[in-house]
Amino acid sequence: MTKAADIMHPGAQWIPATENLERAAQLMRDLDVGALPISDSQERLCGILTDRDVVVGCVSQGRDPSRMTAGDLAKGTPRWISSDADVSEVLREMEQHRIRRLPVIDKNKRLVGMISEADLARHLSEQQIGEFVEKVYAS
């Protein structure tokens, strides 16, 4: 049985909710990622920051990314999956909530990885990928 830990990209990194968006963008560049999980002061997941969030929620509105924080853009209830969850649970979570990136949390509630569409594409069948795309991108 394939688990979330088997398909995730390991080594994901938090960004504190208090960190400014300029630093968040630099970290995304340095890590070559398009999203960062946002942590609160107790290192609990409180959101996900994407490169699109920075552009749409800050830059396009003429706001200063050095003065806005990751927490300013954290909205809604963040979704995550246990590292020992079956891949069918991963797909269900991503499809049901129409999300493209999913943090993976271990039994000690630590961030251990992220699952993206690219990770799914590398590990799932063409039929599974087709169903995922249809459910996540359907209007």
Side-chain angles (χ1 to χ4, degrees), residues 38-76:
I38 304 169
S39 68
D40 64 14
S41 59
Q42 284 79 42
E43 290 197 352
R44 291 178 305 201
L45 183 66
C46 66
I48 303 260
L49 179 68
T50 68
D51 47 8
R52 185 175 194 283
D53 293 333
V54 175
V55 171
V56 173
C58 177
V59 177
S60 71
Q61 296 180 22
R63 298 178 76 184
D64 183 351
S66 68
R67 296 188 182 273
M68 283 188 75
T69 66
D72 291 336
L73 296 181
K75 54 189 180 276

Side-chain angles (χ1 to χ4, degrees), residues 5 8-12 81 83 103-107 110-114:
M8 73 180 187
H9 181 84
I81 197 84
S83 59
V104 180
I105 307 294
D106 71 8
K107 292 177 184 177
R110 293 180 324 188
L111 177 70
V112 293
M114 290 280 283

Side-chain angles (χ1 to χ4, degrees), residues 28-131:
M28 285 184 205
R29 177 201 61 212
D30 294 348
L31 297 172
D32 194 27
V33 298
L36 294 169
I38 304 169
S39 68
D40 64 14
S41 59
Q42 284 79 42
E43 290 197 352
R44 291 178 305 201
L45 183 66
C46 66
I48 303 260
L49 179 68
T50 68
D51 47 8
R52 185 175 194 283
D53 293 333
V54 175
V55 171
V56 173
C58 177
V59 177
S60 71
Q61 296 180 22
R63 298 178 76 184
D64 183 351
S66 68
R67 296 188 182 273
M68 283 188 75
T69 66
D72 291 336
L73 296 181
K75 54 189 180 276
T77 303
R79 310 305 308 177
W80 57 273
I81 197 84
S82 171
S83 59
D84 62 355
D86 182 78
V87 72
S88 63
E89 294 174 66
V90 170
L91 284 171
R92 187 171 38 254
E93 185 72 15
M94 293 176 81
E95 290 169 355
Q96 183 177 4
H97 298 283
R98 298 181 72 181
I99 55 178
R100 299 174 190 139
R101 299 170 180 105
L102 188 62
V104 180
I105 307 294
D106 71 8
K107 292 177 184 177
N108 297 318
K109 303 295 181 198
R110 293 180 324 188
L111 177 70
V112 293
M114 290 280 283
I115 296 174
S116 69
E117 294 166 306
D119 297 315
L120 296 178
R122 281 191 292 275
H123 293 93
L124 301 179
S125 70
E126 285 186 29
Q127 180 179 344
Q128 288 173 304
I129 293 300
E131 291 170 6

